[in-house]
Amino acid sequence: MRELLDLTRELADKEVRPRAEAAERDSVFPREVFRVLGRSGLLGLPYAERWGGGGQPYEVYLQVVEELARAWLAVGLGVSVHTLACLPVAALRHRRAAGPVAAGHARR
């Protein structure tokens, strides 16, 4: 966990914070920041590793979001929305992988 938070702080300091003021002023969406966060594995932290996630508990995920939000609130919020929006996709994959029981169908 410590290494993950150190990585997050480093990215916040080097990639996120330096872009915030100009992007906010110019109303520019931080696409490159999200690409960096995605390549770093920070956009799927609470999801299972077998689906490409980080397999992290929500407490760790929330600490990462807090660190990013300190650097640029819009990015922290964006990571949160991204993660919540992907939840139905991850849940559907889980149900399909686990079979009919996980999907709510009883086996006889």
Side-chain angles (χ1 to χ4, degrees):
M1 179 177 83
R2 172 63 58 208
E3 292 172 358
L4 180 60
L5 293 176
D6 288 345
L7 170 66
T8 303
R9 287 184 193 107
E10 181 180 334
L11 290 173
D13 289 340
K14 292 181 180 176
E15 300 289 337
V16 179
R17 190 172 284 111
R19 300 173 189 206
E21 185 178 340
E24 289 286 333
R25 180 187 62 240
D26 298 337
S27 299
V28 175
F29 183 80
R31 290 189 196 289
E32 186 55 33
V33 169
F34 278 88
R35 284 186 189 99
V36 168
L37 297 176
R39 286 192 301 266
S40 300
L42 299 181
L43 296 182
L45 289 176
Y47 301 117
E49 292 179 41
R50 67 180 177 266
W51 300 324
Q56 296 295 315
Y58 265 86
E59 179 182 354
V60 172
Y61 153 72
L62 292 173
Q63 289 173 335
V64 166
V65 169
E66 286 177 358
E67 287 296 329
L68 294 171
R70 279 189 194 105
W72 187 356
L73 182 59
V75 169
L77 180 61
V79 169
S80 178
V81 168
H82 167 83
T83 303
L84 292 172
C86 290
L87 179 61
V89 174
L92 181 60
R93 283 186 178 181
H94 174 73
R95 283 189 205 114
R96 286 183 179 164
V101 173
H105 304 291
R107 285 190 178 173
R108 297 197 187 260

